[in-house]
């Protein structure tokens, strides 16, 4: 089947749905393609809150500075300015849509403190802010009548005359491939946590958005900037929101000390995430950890705070570790959480590929640079989701209809059929992914060095070779998850290469990139973005872009 | 053992066979029933739903009456059990609720201190009277009879108020009892489900389908009869059974025993004494299996 | 530790093709569900592993053809709701050791829903009913630009119980009313309905309450607590439905059997201290509802024949004045 729409949005998380809503308001015929029901998108797992300089004593400049300092000066300051300037109206819009934000005594929006923020500007709903926003946005999509192709897996972008003209989707319930033609595609399918093991991310965060754009010619930028969240639950890797520290929680080592006083004496536990993760890794490596973890202590906050403001993580610790955080400290450790890097976009969501827009985690504008502040990602999705939707709706006015795509659809059908027909070799995609992900955590994690990174690249190339012959374990058509998993692994293997190569190239430590062989930040040589371009069987091409500085000159970053 | 006894409304109204059989078997179990003749209807959840304060006050009165008579309140209805437990539990969790209720019943000269234990006869059997005493009261084993248990929602949910976290065995007492009495128990998914009674007046067809489906499942699995500790369930499962059969276009013809009736048969009482000849769905065939006549 | 898992398999095509029941979106309730093919697997996992861990283990290392929806593994996405040992649960929240019965754990798509493949069930009934309750804010006049609605934190906290709903479907799977009544909106939808009806920023409360009082709405719930029991997030949908009922009656939507039933109940208890079944049924049905009354006639005759008719002259309990006094004091509209 071939269907035509004005705009196709990939991914139905906060960024995707916000873009779709805005484009629909702009009069476009929008369709959202998502491999899971919108409410299953990983946006629902965001816990802590969303930043905006709404408070009377707050200014967008303060928010912008915190963000830029948090990014270790790799963020493009003009884009950060836009995000921080527009944050208040975007957050307010969500309040008007009905989000049940926490209120202070006057009935106005109330805040909590968060990492790297010079004043409290994080607006929240308990510790389920992501879910609360997602649910409200989904209801708005229903109200606007936007079409959703639910449980459709995107296999490739359709390019025509150098422009992005749609996507081929695998309809999971029937196993059939269809072409959805459009005048523009907005990519909101971010998240690649499954590339690392352990990770806070859901099983569906397999980098489809990055991979599909990369293969279509969009460059991936800052891919070496991988955020490790400091407080992930020991064992399972589940997210324990930063809000636990925002509400006053402590991080302790095996000696019962609040060790952050050594690394960030001013901000302590609320320093930026890369600083805290590195501090924890250092403590653990120095033998002051407990079975490879440190302790998160919220006992002193009392039941009023914990049960009202942190109910979800309280339950998680009981369910999965049998520990009640009201009575004992909880073991936590750094876990891969977020990809600051992504598809290069400008502040209007436009990528270098005409007709292809991107927003949310999949995009690298860049507003997060080398490290993202907590509660800035939810903001990023709605500000740039909106901007992408608006600009895509404008762009399509000058785009003619497409009549092509038959060839691509047939080629995809053949490719999938061949993939399904591969004979069993004894290797499985699951084992291959685990090998890849464990390798990434070991060599491309919190601390990196030249030897480890080169080892990582060699292993990645080997895995890529082996991937080319692995058979799909289920030959059926209806709801074949083995097939989609095989395709997801393909995306992850390509993205791994971009991450490793960028990490090798950047011979400095900045933000989340911590090189033990290059421990200092080197603004003279490395105040720039690394872009990786897909070149088929040849090695990817590397280009650079300078960081845009407006008013904040890079300085030493201490917390 | 002395207990305060709230017979509920239905056992004195449309299910007189329940009251008769319950009072008859009390002696065999060494139970001295002190009937709360002045206790009001619990409201069956309907009153509490529309006016929580009213439901709290009425039930606080009953609980206070029982408190002054030893502190153990026996019910013979799953719905009474559910409502009273729920109110009692609510008073424990939120003392303000109890205060409010007391402010109302104080005018009548009562204050509830919160110590009454509400126990259905089914629980009393296992927890206070004891299996040994029960066994010694059995004069006639119900061998050959296949019985399916039907608990009734309000004696199984919600678990907190009914103490089921501390005593999960309460979810299996009926099955245990059926076997202790010598009968064969029938296992089916409907044993803990809803008979449809709360919806009878809102959506008659669907209410009857609900109960009817569960009986049919038990019947398919070989049950000769069902046993239930709730007279409201009995009204829907027995009283409305012919209409349920019409709604489902399938014959059902499966008798429903009240809990005390089943006990009574095992204790040696005659079917007539237990008013088993006064059911809408005849108990004849089931009783023939244990060589009894109605 | 070793665990045995029985997985309910279903595949509409290929080797295990079975009859796909098309055109029957609300299959028959549990007692007549089609018999399933079960496949048994053994896994070796840590003691505290959950059902989802076992399913992922099976899918990754033993049988790649097992289809199961899952994403977050931490009870926030709502993907993995299924029947575990006969009741609705989230696979990621169900510890294998708590769910071992007769040495094994049985998982399957819920029999009350259409099934797509193995453990993946068709959630169309769920989403269609979600859509039915107008699940978005119909704004009261907006505050000045860049200003929020001023509402108390308590009024927002009142709604948070429903906002924790992750739309997993556990409540609908085990809903007794939904199993027999395809028109019933379902506990999830009515809980969502309450969330918007009780939002102080919504302008359509009155209309909403009218909609929810109609056919398929709040009065089609059988008050059985299954949804409260099975909800993994503590949403307590039944409590939200009861709140909606109260709101609807207070808003004047009283021309329904539910309100008549409550009124008749209260009148009887106020008058005599006990329930008078003789008058309860006819009054609930509606004294002028001729067809309704005729429908109940056969069962009334059956009861008379069995000698189960309540006494015509309903006895008042001794001390009934206490009851009357309580009604006078806190009876509200039942005074």
């Amino acid at each position: 089947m071939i269907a035509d729409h004005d705009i196709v949005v990939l991914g139905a998380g906060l960024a995707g749905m916000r873009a779709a809503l805005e484009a629909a308001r702009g009069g476009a015929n929008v369709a959202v393609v998502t491999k899971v029901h919108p409410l299953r998108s990983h946006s629902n797992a965001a816990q802590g809150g969303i930043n905006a300089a709404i408070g009377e004593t707050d200014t967008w400049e303060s928010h912008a500075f915190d963000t830029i300092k948090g990014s270790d000066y790799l963020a493009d300051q003009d884009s950060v300015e836009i995000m921080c300037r527009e944050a208040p109206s975007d957050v307010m819009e969500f309040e008007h849509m009905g989000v049940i934000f926490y209120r202070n005594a006057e009935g106005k929006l109330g805040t909590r403190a968060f990492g790297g923020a010079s004043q409290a500007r994080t607006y929240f709903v308990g510790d389920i802010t992501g879910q609360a926003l997602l649910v409200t946005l989904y209801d708005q999509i229903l109200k606007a009548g936007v079409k959703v192709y639910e449980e459709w897996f995107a296999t490739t972008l359709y390019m025509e005359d150098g422009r992005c003209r749609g996507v081929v989707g695998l309809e999971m319930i029937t196993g059939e491939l269809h072409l959805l033609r459009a005048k523009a595609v907005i990519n909101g399918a971010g998240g690649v946590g499954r590339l690392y093991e352990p990770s806070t991310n859901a099983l569906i965060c397999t980098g489809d958005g990055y991979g599909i754009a990369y293969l279509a010619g969009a460059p991936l930028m800052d891919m070496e900037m991988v955020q490790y969240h400091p407080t992930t639950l020991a064992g399972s890797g589940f997210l324990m929101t930063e809000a636990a520290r925002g509400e006053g929680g402590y991080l302790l080592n095996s000696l019962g000390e609040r060790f952050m006083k050594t690394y960030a004496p001013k901000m302590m536990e609320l320093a930026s995430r890369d600083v805290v993760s590195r501090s924890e890794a250092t403590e653990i490596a120095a033998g002051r950890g407990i079975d490879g973890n440190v302790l998160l202590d919220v006992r002193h906050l009392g039941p009023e705070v914990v049960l009202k403001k942190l109910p979800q993580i309280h339950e998680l610790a009981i369910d999965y570790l049998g520990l009640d955080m009201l009575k004992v400290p909880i073991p936590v450790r750094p876990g891969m959480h977020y990809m600051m890097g992504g598809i290069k976009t400008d502040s209007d969501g436009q990528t270098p590929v005409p007709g292809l827009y991107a927003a949310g985690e999949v995009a690298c504008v860049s507003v997060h640079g080398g490290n993202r502040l907590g509660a800035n990602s939810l903001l990023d999705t709605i500000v740039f989701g909106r901007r992408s939707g608006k600009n895509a709706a404008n762009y399509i006015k000058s785009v003619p209809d497409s009549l092509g795509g038959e060839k691509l659809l047939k080629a995809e059908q053949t490719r999938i059929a061949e993939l399904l027909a591969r004979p069993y070799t004894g290797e499985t995609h699951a084992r291959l992914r685990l090998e890849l992900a464990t390798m990434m955590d070991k060599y491309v994690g919190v601390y990196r060095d030249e030897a480890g990174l080169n080892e990582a690249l060699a292993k990645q190339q080997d895995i890529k070779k082996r991937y080319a012959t692995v058979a799909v374990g289920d030959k059926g058509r209806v709801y074949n998850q083995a097939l989609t998993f095989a395709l997801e692994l393909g995306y992850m293997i390509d993205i791994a290469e971009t991450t490793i190569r960028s990490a090798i190239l950047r011979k400095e430590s900045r933000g989340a990139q911590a090189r033990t062989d290059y421990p200092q930040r080197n603004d003279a040589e490395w105040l720039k973005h690394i872009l990786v371009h897909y070149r088929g069987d040849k090695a990817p091409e590397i280009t650079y872009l300078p960081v845009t500085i407006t008013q904040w000159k890079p300085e030493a970053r201490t917390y | 053992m002395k207990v305060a006894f709230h017979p509920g409304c239905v056992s004195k109204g449309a299910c007189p066979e329940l009251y008769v059989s319950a009072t008859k078997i009390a002696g065999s179990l060494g139970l001295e029933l002190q009937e709360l003749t002045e206790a009001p209807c619990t409201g069956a959840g309907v009153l509490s739903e529309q006016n929580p304060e009213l439901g709290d006050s009425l039930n606080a009165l009953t609980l206070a009456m029982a408190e002054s008579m030893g502190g153990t309140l026996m019910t013979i209805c799953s719905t009474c059990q559910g409502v009273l437990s729920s109110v009692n539990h609510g008073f424990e969790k939120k003392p303000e609720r109890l205060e409010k209720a007391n402010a109302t019943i104080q005018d009548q000269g009562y204050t509830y201190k919160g110590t009454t234990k509400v126990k259905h006869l089914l629980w009393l059997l296992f927890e206070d009277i004891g299996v040994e005493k029960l066994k010694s009261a059995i004069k006639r084993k119900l061998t050959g009879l296949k019985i399916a248990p039907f608990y009734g929602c309000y004696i199984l949910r919600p678990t907190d108020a009914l103490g089921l976290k501390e005593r999960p065995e309460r979810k299996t007492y009926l099955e245990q009892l059926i076997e202790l009495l010598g009968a064969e128990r029938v296992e089916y998914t409907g044993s803990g489900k809803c008979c449809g009674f709360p919806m009878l007046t809102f959506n008659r067809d669907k209410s009857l389908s609900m109960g009817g489906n569960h009986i049919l499942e038990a019947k398919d699995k070989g049950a000769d009869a069902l046993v239930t500790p709730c007279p409201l369930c009995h009204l829907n499962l027995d009283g409305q059974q012919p209409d349920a059969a019409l709604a489902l276009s399938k014959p059902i013809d499966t008798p429903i025993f009240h809990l005390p009736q089943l006990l009574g048969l095992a204790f040696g009482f005659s079917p007539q004494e237990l008013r088993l000849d006064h059911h809408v769905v005849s108990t004849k065939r089931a009783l023939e299996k244990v060589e009894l006549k109605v | 530790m070793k665990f045995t898992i029985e997985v309910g398999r279903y595949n509409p095509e290929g080797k295990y093709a079975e009859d796909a029941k098309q055109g029957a979106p609300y299959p028959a309730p549990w007692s007549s569900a089609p018999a399933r093919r079960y496949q048994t697997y053994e896994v070796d996992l840590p003691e505290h592993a959950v059902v989802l861990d076992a399913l992922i283990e099976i899918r990754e290392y033993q049988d790649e053809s097992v289809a199961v929806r899952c994403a977050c593994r931490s009870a926030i996405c709502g993907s993995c709701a299924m029947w575990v040992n006969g009741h609705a649960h989230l696979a990621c929240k169900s510890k294998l050791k708590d769910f071992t019965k007769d040495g094994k754990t049985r998982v399957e798509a819920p029999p009350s829903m259409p099934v797509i493949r193995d453990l993946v069930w068709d959630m169309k009934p769920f989403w269609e009913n979600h859509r039915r309750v107008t699940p978005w804010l119909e704004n009261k006049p907006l505050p000045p630009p860049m200003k929020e609605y001023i509402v108390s934190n308590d009024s927002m906290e009142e709604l948070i119980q429903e906002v924790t709903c992750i739309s997993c479907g556990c409540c609908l799977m085990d809903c007794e009313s939904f199993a027999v009544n395809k028109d019933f909106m379902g506990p999830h939808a009515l809980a969502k309905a309450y969330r918007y009806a009780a939002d102080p920023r919504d302008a359509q409360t009155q209309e909403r309450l009218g909609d929810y009082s109609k056919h398929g709405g709040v009065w089609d719930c059988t008050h059985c607590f299954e949804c409260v029991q099975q909800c993994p997030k503590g949403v307590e949908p039944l409590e939200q439905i009861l709140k909606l009922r109260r709101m609807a009656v207070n808003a004047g939507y009283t021309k329904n059997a539910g309100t008549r039933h409550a009124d008749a109940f209260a009148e009887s208890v106020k008058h005599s201290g006990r329930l008078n079944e003789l008058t309860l049924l006819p009054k609930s049905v509606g004294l002028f509802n001729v067809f309704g009354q005729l429908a109940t006639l056969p069962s009334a005759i059956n009861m008379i024949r069995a000698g189960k008719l309540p006494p015509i002259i309903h006895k008042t309990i001794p001390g009934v004045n206490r009851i009357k006094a309580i009604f006078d004091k806190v009876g509200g509209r039942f005074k």
Side-chain angles (χ1 to χ4, degrees), chain C residues 261-283:
Chain C
H261 183 70
D263 286 345
F265 211 115
E267 214 185 297
S268 171
V269 177
K270 180 172 72 167
H271 175 73
S272 67
R274 294 282 162 88
L275 180 62
N276 179 0
E277 303 99 321
L278 201 59
T279 55
L280 179 71
L281 224 61
K283 279 192 179 164

Side-chain angles (χ1 to χ4, degrees), chain A residues 37 40 95-96 98-99 103 107 109 131 139 151 201-203 238 308 315 319-320 474 477-478 481, chain C residues 13 59 68-69 71 73 77 92-93 95 117 135 139 147-149 153 163 165 167 195-196 201:
Chain A
H37 186 277
R40 315 290 180 227
E95 195 277 326
H96 295 166
V99 175
R103 307 282 171 159
L109 297 178
Q131 187 204 333
D139 289 341
E151 295 190 323
N201 282 198
L203 302 170
F238 295 143
K308 272 258 164 80
E315 209 181 310
D319 275 344
Y320 295 99
D474 178 6
R477 289 164 63 80
V478 173
Q481 291 183 316
Chain C
E13 48 128 30
R59 195 167 70 157
V68 51
R69 286 192 181 116
R73 309 158 292 147
C77 73
C92 65
K93 224 179 179 243
K95 289 206 169 56
R117 165 93 188 260
N139 291 73
K147 288 267 175 258
E148 61 272 58
Y149 284 101
N153 200 40
V163 171
C165 170
S167 295
R195 175 256 178 276
Y196 282 110
R201 303 164 292 182

Side-chain angles (χ1 to χ4, degrees), chain C:
Chain C
M1 203 167 142
K2 295 220 185 333
F3 296 100
T4 306
I5 322 289
E6 250 182 25
V7 179
R9 305 300 304 269
Y10 173 83
N11 190 335
E13 48 128 30
K15 194 163 138 201
Y16 302 115
E18 283 137 285
D19 281 316
K21 291 209 183 281
Q22 294 307 315
Y26 303 95
W30 308 274
S31 55
S32 48
R36 274 236 162 81
R37 178 178 71 83
Y38 293 97
Q39 195 163 343
T40 311
Y41 304 89
E42 305 273 334
V43 293
D44 196 353
L45 291 169
E47 194 198 323
H48 55 263
V50 292
V51 170
L52 185 60
D53 290 334
L55 291 171
I56 292 176
E57 174 83 11
I58 292 167
R59 195 167 70 157
E60 293 193 344
Y61 295 101
Q62 294 184 36
D63 184 351
E64 282 180 77
S65 73
V66 174
V68 51
R69 286 192 181 116
C70 50
C72 73
R73 309 158 292 147
S74 55
I76 193 69
C77 73
S79 306
C80 62
M82 61 184 70
W83 251 33
V84 182
N85 285 354
H87 289 280
H89 292 281
L90 286 180
C92 65
K93 224 179 179 243
S94 311
K95 289 206 169 56
L96 285 164
K97 65 174 168 72
D98 294 337
F99 282 87
T100 301
K101 195 175 154 191
D102 299 328
K104 54 182 159 59
T105 307
R106 172 177 278 199
V107 295
E108 56 197 316
S112 54
M113 297 292 173
V115 57
I116 294 171
R117 165 93 188 260
D118 294 333
L119 300 166
V120 176
W121 51 285
D122 189 352
M123 285 192 75
K124 233 194 308 175
F126 183 91
W127 298 118
E128 278 171 356
N129 279 311
H130 172 101
R131 175 67 187 74
R132 253 171 101 182
V133 301
T134 317
W136 53 74
L137 197 68
E138 297 281 23
N139 291 73
K140 283 203 172 121
L142 286 173
M146 286 311 301
K147 288 267 175 258
E148 61 272 58
Y149 284 101
I150 305 291
V151 289
S152 70
N153 200 40
D154 281 344
S155 68
M156 296 288 96
E157 294 212 339
E158 172 65 24
L159 308 179
I160 204 166
Q161 199 181 23
E162 195 284 331
V163 171
T164 54
C165 170
I166 56 176
S167 295
C168 65
C170 282
C171 58
L172 194 64
M173 271 189 236
D174 277 4
C175 173
E176 290 264 346
S177 289
F178 188 72
V180 295
N181 183 359
K182 67 177 180 180
D183 294 329
F184 181 47
M185 287 179 186
H188 67 295
L190 288 170
K192 176 75 69 183
Y194 174 71
R195 175 256 178 276
Y196 282 110
D199 193 321
R201 303 164 292 182
D202 189 85
Q204 297 272 311
T205 308
Q206 189 69 17
E207 291 81 348
R208 285 182 191 276
L209 293 171
D211 280 338
Y212 309 146
S213 303
K214 289 194 194 131
H215 183 56
V218 292
W219 298 110
D220 272 296
C221 160
T222 193
H223 211 302
C224 72
F225 285 102
E226 284 277 6
C227 54
V228 174
Q229 181 87 339
Q230 302 306 129
C231 175
K233 302 299 281 186
V235 174
E236 295 187 324
L238 176 61
E239 299 298 333
Q240 322 286 340
I241 294 177
L242 297 184
K243 286 188 221 179
L244 265 181
R245 284 184 179 178
R246 271 203 289 282
M247 284 174 78
V249 171
N250 289 337
Y253 292 102
T254 53
K255 290 199 182 11
N256 47 57
T259 316
R260 287 192 292 267
H261 183 70
D263 286 345
F265 211 115
E267 214 185 297
S268 171
V269 177
K270 180 172 72 167
H271 175 73
S272 67
R274 294 282 162 88
L275 180 62
N276 179 0
E277 303 99 321
L278 201 59
T279 55
L280 179 71
L281 224 61
K283 279 192 179 164
S284 309
V285 168
L287 293 173
F288 296 106
N289 181 354
V290 180
F291 286 118
Q293 300 293 356
L294 282 176
T296 64
L297 207 53
S299 68
I301 295 174
N302 285 330
M303 298 283 278
I304 294 173
R305 276 168 51 192
K308 279 164 67 75
L309 200 69
I312 304 280
I313 302 175
H314 189 74
K315 276 213 307 253
T316 319
I317 60 170
V320 71
N321 288 318
R322 285 195 205 101
I323 316 301
K324 289 200 212 285
I326 291 177
F327 267 87
D328 272 336
K329 188 161 182 193
V330 292
R333 79 163 199 281
F334 297 134
K335 265 204 240 258

Side-chain angles (χ1 to χ4, degrees), chain B residues 171-182:
Chain B
K171 293 188 269 189
T172 61
Y173 283 163
L174 263 186
E175 283 94 332
Q176 288 182 50
L177 182 66
I178 291 169
E179 288 188 333
L180 278 168
L181 298 180

